[in-house]
Amino acid sequence: MSVKKSLAVDVAIVGGGGAGLAAAIEAKRAGASVAMIEKADTLGGAAILSGGGCLVAGSPLQEMQGIHDSPDLAFEDWMIWGQGAADEAWVRYYLDHSLHDLYLWAERLGVTWESVRPHEGNRAQRWHRPKNAGKGLTGALIDTVRTLGADEILASTAVIEILRRDGKVYGLKAVNTHSGERVEISSKSLILASGGFNSNLDMVLAVRPELKGSRILLGGGPGATGDGHALARDLGAQLTHLEHIWFYAHATPDYRDPSGIRGLVFRMASDTIWVNQQGRRFHDESLYGGNSATPALLRQSPRHAWAILDAPLITTMEVADPYYRSGAQIIREKIQALLDQSPYIRKAQSLEELGRKMETDVPTFLATVEHHNKACADGLEREAEFGKLLKDSKKLDLPPYYAIQMFPLARKNFGGIKTDMKCRVLNQGMDPICGLYAAGEVAGMAGGHINGKAGLEGTMLGPSIFSGRVAGAWAAQEAGFGAGFKGDAAALHSQTS
Ligand SMILES: Cc1cc2nc3c(=O)[nH]c(=O)nc-3n(C[C@H](O)[C@H](O)[C@H](O)COP(=O)(O)OP(=O)(O)OC[C@H]3O[C@@H](n4cnc5c(N)ncnc54)[C@H](O)[C@@H]3O)c2cc1C
């Protein structure tokens, strides 16, 4: 097919999510001309759908709330949580910059950081939530890119090939997803910021073959189909730690998805109980993270479970998807529609009827709930079996009762394209591929594997945006603009030393 449109820019960016937008801002500020190619109809990627939470260590918001934190303390937690698989140099780099080059930088773009929350593995609360979640943060990046005037923003355009001559990347080929029109862009450097691969079940199962035969839900951004991984692999790039996928246990199929593959992450008060198909509890449900609940769920046979709630508990349910909220407001009618219409959610007026609808062993299930109710009634501090704190728990005794079927959901990719500290893509021999950069989830959030085996949370979006900035500045420098990435943290250090 003939090329209908051709362009020449200094820096081409594949993907208009958190990393791509941050890269565009840096490259434009350095003086480079930029083209951003996004296969979805709108910009934002997973970043705009996300909770927007970013791990920041030592912020004014933490200080205001009396939370003592520092990059050093966060570094220790991060390295322990990563279980020997986190990229130490990138962890240090990110943490040394998270205050100045993410938190304060975003504030200058118009972001308001609203609250700080705890997450498993962190000794200090450091998950910072922006006003209006991912939409608030990513919206500010989009507005800034538009204000700076990215020379070409091509939405509905999927990159299908990266062009290389004499060992150097010099552009790309893309196709309009509606018209089929071909586009060719030549550029002096190119940044892959195409997100993860958790919306591609074949890729997930290829790196986690032990999960074949189990029902796995997909929960990455809709564009997270691994295109950038394939494009980079074709050029000899090194891909690393791909098997480290961050799965959540508290997820149920999205009844609005006809394929039944996509899932929704739900949250609720921790006093729900989870039972396996045999009707038994298997975990301390207050530990619901990917490093605790997911391994517990994956040990069940079959690999699913049920979250059990009664009428008061169901009112605390939240769904981590923008469809179910308006700003910070939960849209209860939509949650009720999910509860009423999902074939994966059972409702009953008695626990016995609920057990039958779950097709579990009813006497075992009833004994499990009775055991939980007795522990609550006796005022125990912790239940005996899994040591769950019961201070906020209550008996499950007010109908209607609900059972929400839970399956493991692949949300975030902790492995990806290996890069150096300038985000230059490395080949198998650890040499940079000339002209090619990678940032964000396609690069395991930053560098290839910044998280390791587990994430402290907020360690996806934060490092994606930060590495996007780093990639944008160095790609512009390679194209002849600016001096590469220094960041305000570096400026501050050099002023004080
Ligand atoms: C529902 C949800 C909630 C989340 N909440 C949090 C949170 O609170 N905190 C946190 O740290 N992380 C969170 N994450 C993860 C976080 O959003 C991502 O890790 C982050 O957005 C990655 O940024 P990115 O720019 O690399 O990818 P994305 O933001 O996904 O952007 C990649 C873009 O590239 C485009 N693209 C892909 N292939 C092509 C192609 N061939 N041609 C052109 N364009 C292409 C995609 O369409 C997409 O728009 C969440 C993720 C989800 C799905």
Side-chain angles (χ1 to χ4, degrees):
M1 196 186 280
S2 65
V3 174
K4 288 281 177 60
K5 185 170 181 176
S6 60
L7 303 166
V9 290
D10 299 313
V11 179
I13 301 173
V14 182
L21 291 162
I25 292 170
E26 288 307 311
K28 277 305 290 180
R29 285 187 170 163
S33 61
V34 170
M36 173 175 282
I37 304 96
E38 167 55 56
K39 77 173 171 184
D41 294 342
T42 50
L43 297 179
I48 206 162
L49 307 174
S50 76
C54 292
L55 184 143
V56 177
S59 73
L61 198 55
Q62 285 175 308
E63 209 176 298
M64 262 162 47
Q65 297 184 14
I67 300 165
H68 302 293
D69 197 13
S70 68
D72 288 345
L73 187 69
F75 179 79
E76 282 177 21
D77 290 351
W78 194 314
M79 294 310 291
I80 291 168
W81 209 237
Q83 300 162 47
D87 182 325
E88 190 173 336
W90 266 100
V91 177
R92 192 78 253 181
Y93 193 29
Y94 173 69
L95 288 172
D96 283 349
H97 285 261
S98 72
L99 170 60
H100 290 277
D101 293 310
L102 181 65
Y103 182 100
L104 297 173
W105 176 80
E107 274 191 344
R108 288 197 295 278
L109 303 185
V111 172
T112 305
W113 298 101
E114 222 169 35
S115 56
V116 194
R117 293 192 189 168
H119 273 289
E120 283 172 42
N122 294 280
R123 280 175 292 170
Q125 296 189 19
R126 46 174 83 102
W127 189 88
H128 289 68
R129 186 186 172 91
K131 189 172 175 189
N132 215 358
K135 204 171 164 191
L137 177 53
T138 314
L141 302 186
I142 294 173
D143 290 348
T144 307
V145 168
R146 294 205 189 279
T147 308
L148 288 169
D151 308 83
E152 291 284 349
I153 298 176
L154 304 182
S156 314
T157 305
V159 175
I160 50 171
E161 190 182 339
I162 295 177
L163 304 171
R164 182 164 58 169
R165 189 168 44 222
D166 301 330
K168 178 163 179 8
V169 167
Y170 71 92
L172 58 85
K173 284 186 183 169
V175 60
N176 184 290
T177 54
H178 299 299
S179 66
E181 184 188 58
R182 297 269 167 159
V183 183
E184 193 166 317
I185 297 178
S186 67
S187 63
K188 294 175 188 157
S189 55
L190 185 147
I191 303 170
L192 278 172
S194 48
F197 61 82
N198 283 330
S199 292
N200 180 335
L201 188 58
D202 290 341
M203 275 184 83
V204 170
L205 294 179
V207 295
R208 294 294 298 268
E210 80 281 9
L211 298 177
K212 283 181 185 161
S214 300
R215 183 163 188 176
I216 300 295
L217 302 177
L218 300 181
T225 46
D227 302 11
H229 302 72
L231 292 167
R233 191 177 265 133
D234 285 350
L235 296 173
Q238 188 182 144
L239 280 88
T240 187
H241 294 71
L242 296 181
E243 71 281 15
H244 296 157
I245 294 177
W246 197 227
F247 287 96
Y248 289 128
H250 44 107
T252 194
D254 182 351
Y255 77 101
R256 295 165 61 241
D257 168 33
S259 75
I261 297 178
R262 290 203 65 84
L264 297 167
V265 171
F266 60 87
R267 298 195 187 98
M268 57 199 46
S270 71
D271 41 8
T272 174
I273 62 169
W274 297 347
V275 299
N276 59 19
Q277 192 54 44
Q278 293 76 40
R280 293 196 174 85
R281 283 183 65 227
F282 56 93
H283 184 62
D284 170 355
E285 298 86 355
S286 67
L287 300 175
Y288 56 83
N291 201 26
S292 49
T294 306
L297 178 62
L298 290 177
R299 282 194 296 273
Q300 305 312 303
S301 177
R303 283 179 173 138
H304 68 241
W306 299 88
I308 311 298
L309 299 99
D310 68 355
L313 275 186
I314 211 77
T315 63
T316 66
M317 179 169 171
E318 294 181 19
V319 178
D321 185 291
Y323 175 78
Y324 292 90
R325 58 174 192 251
S326 163
Q329 202 66 34
I330 311 294
I331 308 176
R332 286 276 148 222
E333 306 79 66
K334 288 188 176 174
I335 292 194
Q336 195 55 51
L338 165 71
L339 293 169
D340 293 341
Q341 292 174 37
S342 169
Y344 302 93
I345 298 178
R346 312 278 194 267
K347 181 180 175 184
Q349 289 305 320
S350 75
L351 288 163
E352 192 175 346
E353 184 193 357
L354 192 70
R356 276 198 305 275
K357 288 186 170 175
M358 290 154 59
E359 297 175 35
T360 186
D361 181 82
V362 175
T364 308
F365 170 62
L366 291 177
T368 301
V369 178
E370 180 49 34
H371 196 73
H372 166 79
N373 284 352
K374 184 167 180 327
C376 293
D378 290 351
L380 297 186
E381 193 190 349
R382 287 179 186 275
E383 54 81 26
E385 218 177 345
F386 300 100
K388 178 173 159 182
L389 276 173
L390 292 175
K391 66 176 167 43
D392 300 322
S393 289
K394 65 169 261 327
K395 290 177 12 176
L396 292 167
D397 58 357
L398 287 169
Y401 299 99
Y402 291 88
I404 304 175
Q405 198 167 17
M406 304 157 52
F407 297 89
L409 173 139
R411 179 69 114 200
K412 293 150 186 171
N413 290 109
F414 285 172
I417 300 170
K418 177 86 183 144
T419 77
D420 65 8
M421 304 306 290
K422 294 180 176 175
C423 293
R424 293 182 299 180
V425 173
L426 301 177
N427 66 17
Q428 300 297 329
M430 297 291 276
D431 295 317
I433 297 176
C434 207
L436 187 62
Y437 294 74
E441 198 159 344
V442 72
M445 311 300 174
H449 56 110
I450 189 172
N451 279 279
K453 290 187 186 166
L456 290 170
E457 295 298 348
T459 52
M460 303 93 194
L461 191 55
S464 290
I465 291 174
F466 177 66
S467 63
R469 291 193 62 196
V470 174
W474 285 111
Q477 194 260 0
E478 180 165 349
F481 300 87
F485 187 78
K486 298 278 181 298
D488 292 336
L492 202 81
H493 282 305
S494 62
Q495 275 165 23
T496 51
S497 58

